[in-house]
């Protein structure tokens, strides 16, 4: 329904004159400023009371019926328009809020200006329509990242002749530039109700350059140099969102979305957060107190170096089915609870997959090196919100199912593992302090018929400092017991020994993860936030690591992760965001046992500079 706005009629009001903006998308009426009276020119006299009014108008101050153009109600079930005569005689109805803003001169529209009212940003409908909006998006994401982590020496060759240590030099650097362009077409007055339909597309172009000190880290070929420059184009969004029906006069609704779309299974991205091909039925009830999702996804292959969707390749034989329900103000006002059931059906036992750098990713080169298939059901409860002034986030998940063959025994194994994370925080003025606790179970007996290590589908945790944290941001390769395997995944917190988060399979025979941490955010200026985090990490159990490394004992202590970040938003919004962060890992006994570098370095570091410019 088009908004009906009223403005007082002043006796000196100027007539409304339609002046085209000059573009097809921007043709709203504007007010001509009153002309200045020239010297010697007589003042305009009062309006002739006998003059005939324009069609559909009346002269201010004159009696008679108040009239305007007839209104057609095209929105079934909406609140009816007020009838003629319901307004005071000194008021005039205006057909939409966009024309009112132009008329009052509150905004000077400019298609190059994303900060004020802009038709290209979906603030106003396309010229000639009253509820059809277009939204164009352009994003530049620049990343520079010097870092250090344990790097194995190549088996066949090395950059340093004569080197025979297991681990070589540790310094490396990454530069990545990503451009994202997107467009959306939406029909409907979305300020009052869900859109009737939305068509959205987003394409990302990524160029990345990596330099490491050892060979066979970036490519399986020993002849390749230890640096790489690569580029890739991926489709991150391409979907149709269609409004099926309204279920109440408060616009509770049911909608369906088909195509490549973003989805997060929980509040913090612990289990499944990705842009994948799928079909999703969603909506709400009871004045939006309940929200639900019923979705099925067919996972796309990812590019190994950029992580973007590779739509020209056949999708994986990996499927995800989701059903979840949200309830606001449960268990107490201010908290939102979610219950979720997710089924991950993987049928890639006979699928051999090698990434763009020549490394096998399915099956992982771990244990018996045999292909695997599995069915796992995740039962989750998540909560997010506040109790009084205490903010809280909780996530708990139990994973159950069947692994077709254990990586150690080649026998069918039962999956039974669990995960829990809790992060309370408290705001005091311009400071927020928080604590973090996480536990993901590990497999204490890798040779039995129960896989009790917890593994997610596609994690991207916003927790304990997120990618500011060294352990969450960096990938630590697992050497001696596996090839092309990592202890953890980039932008992931779980120690699940996968070949990669993007192309590998979940692995439920792993050492698990424990974390305790504390942090704080300081809003030093409205546009500047400084954050700090201190986390301590452990393996839940090291039985799997001992079996793979053929060691009698490995301590659980991973070490201390200290990080700090500064985020600067010069215009107080997300259009320009600059972030600089640094992290330091002080290894514990368990990390030192697994990774002892030639220089006997006592710590590892990560520096991240990120600049995001968005239109």
């Amino acid at each position: 329904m088009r908004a009906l706005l009223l403005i007082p009629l002043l006796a000196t009001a100027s007539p409304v004159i339609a002046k085209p903006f000059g573009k097809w998308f921007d043709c709203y009426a504007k007010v001509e400023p009153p002309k200045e009276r020239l010297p010697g020119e007589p003042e305009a006299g009062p309006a002739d009371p006998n003059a005939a009014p324009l069609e559909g108008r009346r002269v201010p101050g004159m009696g008679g019926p108040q009239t305007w153009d007839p209104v057609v109600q095209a929105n079934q079930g909406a609140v009816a328009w007020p009838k003629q005569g319901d307004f005071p005689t000194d008021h005039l109805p205006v057909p939409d809020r966009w024309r009112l803003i132009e008329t009052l001169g509150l905004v000077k529209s400019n298609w190059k200006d994303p900060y004020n009212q802009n038709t290209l940003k979906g603030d106003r409908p396309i010229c000639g329509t009253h509820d059809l909006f277009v939204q164009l998006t352009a994003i530049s994401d620049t990343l520079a990242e010097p870092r250090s982590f344990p790097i194995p020496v190549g088996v066949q060759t090395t950059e340093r002749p004569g080197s025979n240590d297991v681990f070589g030099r540790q310094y490396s650097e990454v530069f990545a530039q990503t451009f994202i362009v997107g467009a959306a077409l939406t029909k409907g007055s979305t300020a009052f109700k869900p859109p009737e339909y939305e068509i959205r597309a987003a394409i990302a172009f990524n160029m990345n350059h990596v330099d490491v000190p050892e060979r066979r880290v970036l490519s399986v070929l020993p002849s390749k140099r230890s640096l790489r420059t690569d580029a890739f184009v991926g489709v991150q969004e391409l979907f149709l969102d269609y409004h099926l029906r309204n279920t109440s006069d408060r616009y509770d609704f049911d909608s369906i979305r088909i195509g490549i779309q973003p989805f997060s299974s929980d509040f913090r991205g612990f289990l499944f957060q990705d842009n994948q091909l799928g079909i999703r039925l969603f909506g709400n009830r009871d004045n939006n107190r309940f929200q639900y999702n019923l979705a099925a996804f067919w996972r796309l292959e990812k590019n190994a170096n950029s992580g973007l969707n590779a739509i020209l390749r056949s999708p994986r034989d990996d499927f995800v089915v989701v059903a979840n329900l949200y309830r606001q103000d449960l268990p107490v006002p201010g908290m939102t609870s979610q219950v979720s059931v997710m089924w991950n059906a993987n049928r890639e036992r006979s699928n051999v997959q090698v990434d763009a750098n020549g490394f096998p990713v399915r099956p992982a080169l771990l244990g018996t090196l045999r292909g695997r298939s599995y069915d796992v059901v995740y039962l989750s409860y998540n909560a997010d919100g506040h109790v009084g002034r205490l903010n809280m986030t909780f996530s708990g998940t139990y994973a159950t199912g069947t692994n077709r063959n254990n990586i150690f025994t080649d026998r069918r194994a039962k999956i039974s593992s669990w995960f829990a994370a809790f992060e309370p925080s408290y705001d005091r003025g311009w400071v927020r302090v928080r604590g973090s606790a996480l536990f993901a179970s590990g497999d204490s007996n890798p040779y039995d018929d129960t896989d009790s290590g917890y593994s997610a589908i596609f994690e991207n945790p916003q927790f304990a400092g997120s990618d500011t944290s060294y352990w969450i941001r960096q990938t630590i390769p697992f050497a001696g017991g596996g090839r092309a395997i990592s202890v953890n995944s980039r932008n992931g917190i779980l120690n699940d020994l996968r070949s990669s988060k993007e192309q590998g399979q979940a692995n439920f025979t792993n050492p698990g993860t424990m974390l305790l941490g504390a942090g704080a955010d300081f809003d030093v200026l409205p546009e500047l936030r400084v954050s700090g985090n201190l986390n301590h990490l452990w393996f839940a159990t090291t039985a799997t690591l001992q079996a793979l490394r053929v060691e009698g004992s490995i301590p659980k202590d991973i070490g201390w992760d200290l990080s700090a970040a500064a985020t600067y938003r010069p215009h107080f919004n997300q259009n320009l965001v600059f972030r600089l962060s640094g992290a330091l890992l002080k290894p514990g006994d368990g990390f030192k046992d697994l990774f002892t570098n030639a220089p006997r370095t006592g710590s590892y570091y990560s520096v991240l500079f990120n600049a995001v410019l968005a239109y």
Side-chain angles (χ1 to χ4, degrees), residues 387-398:
V387 179
R389 298 192 62 176
L390 182 65
N391 310 302
M392 289 193 297
T393 289
F394 172 79
S395 180
T397 301
Y398 175 69

Side-chain angles (χ1 to χ4, degrees), residues 54-344:
L54 299 176
E55 182 179 355
R57 301 292 182 90
R58 65 179 177 82
V59 177
M62 294 184 62
Q66 181 177 343
T67 62
W68 56 82
D69 295 337
V71 175
V72 177
Q73 175 61 274
N75 182 10
Q76 298 298 326
V79 179
W81 280 67
K83 299 177 182 179
Q84 295 189 18
D86 289 346
F87 308 109
T89 58
D90 59 344
H91 282 63
L92 173 70
V94 178
D96 55 56
R97 61 186 182 275
W98 307 284
R99 191 177 303 171
L100 175 63
I101 293 176
E102 282 288 329
T103 302
L104 296 179
L106 300 178
V107 173
K108 294 182 178 180
S109 178
N110 186 335
W111 69 271
K112 296 176 292 185
D113 181 5
Y115 300 105
N116 293 306
Q117 191 182 58
N118 190 324
T119 307
L120 295 183
K121 299 297 295 178
D123 297 327
R124 302 187 304 188
I126 297 173
C127 179
T129 72
H130 69 276
D131 62 354
L132 196 61
F133 299 84
V134 65
Q135 182 178 1
L136 303 182
T137 303
I139 298 174
S140 170
D141 190 337
T142 305
L143 181 144
E145 184 179 5
R147 58 189 180 170
S148 67
F149 61 90
I151 299 178
V153 172
V155 178
Q156 293 90 345
T157 185
T158 177
E159 288 285 355
R160 295 174 299 137
S163 173
N164 57 6
D165 289 315
V166 175
F167 295 96
R169 292 174 296 176
Q170 60 195 25
Y171 174 79
S172 67
E173 57 187 19
V174 176
F175 173 81
Q177 175 64 55
T178 303
F179 296 104
I180 303 173
V181 292
L185 181 67
T186 304
K187 179 176 174 56
S189 298
T190 57
F192 307 98
K193 63 176 185 178
E196 296 178 29
Y197 64 79
E198 178 184 4
I199 302 172
R200 183 178 292 272
I203 299 175
F205 170 78
N206 173 270
M207 188 277 291
N208 58 82
H209 175 81
V210 185
D211 189 358
V212 298
E214 297 292 341
R215 300 199 178 196
R216 294 199 79 237
V217 174
L218 303 177
S219 173
V220 73
L221 299 176
S223 59
K224 292 284 189 179
R225 299 180 61 192
S226 59
L227 56 86
R228 179 190 65 217
T229 300
D230 185 50
F232 189 78
V233 177
V235 179
Q236 298 305 101
E237 289 183 345
L238 184 62
F239 65 78
L240 167 66
D241 188 326
Y242 186 75
H243 182 71
L244 297 175
R245 62 172 181 163
N246 293 324
T247 61
S248 73
D249 57 2
R250 299 294 182 92
Y251 292 116
D252 292 328
F253 70 94
D254 295 314
S255 290
I256 190 169
R257 181 176 291 182
I258 302 173
I260 302 173
Q261 55 190 283
F263 184 80
S264 182
S265 64
D266 54 83
F267 297 111
R268 294 295 187 94
F270 288 122
L271 179 53
F272 180 61
Q273 185 180 75
D274 199 7
N275 289 48
Q276 285 293 347
L277 175 64
I279 179 170
R280 174 182 165 216
L281 177 68
F282 63 100
N284 60 0
R285 294 292 188 274
D286 192 21
N287 294 328
N288 201 36
R289 292 188 179 93
F290 287 95
Q291 299 99 37
Y292 74 90
N293 287 283
L294 297 171
F297 296 95
W298 189 6
R299 295 184 66 189
L300 299 170
E301 289 284 5
K302 301 278 188 178
N303 176 257
N305 300 328
S306 67
L308 300 178
N309 290 331
I311 64 169
L312 297 182
R313 301 176 60 185
S314 298
R316 299 178 55 174
D317 291 329
D318 194 41
F319 308 92
V320 179
V321 180
V322 185
N324 60 31
L325 180 68
Y326 297 80
R327 177 62 165 90
Q328 294 185 18
D329 295 328
L330 184 73
V332 296
M335 293 289 293
T336 298
S337 290
Q338 181 218 44
V339 290
S340 176
V341 179
M342 296 188 65
W343 173 33
N344 184 197

Side-chain angles (χ1 to χ4, degrees), residues 341-361:
V341 179
M342 296 188 65
W343 173 33
N344 184 197
N346 184 281
R347 298 294 181 267
E348 297 176 316
R349 183 171 186 172
S350 302
N351 183 293
V352 176
Q353 192 67 228
V354 178
D355 69 15
N357 304 312
F359 294 106
V361 289

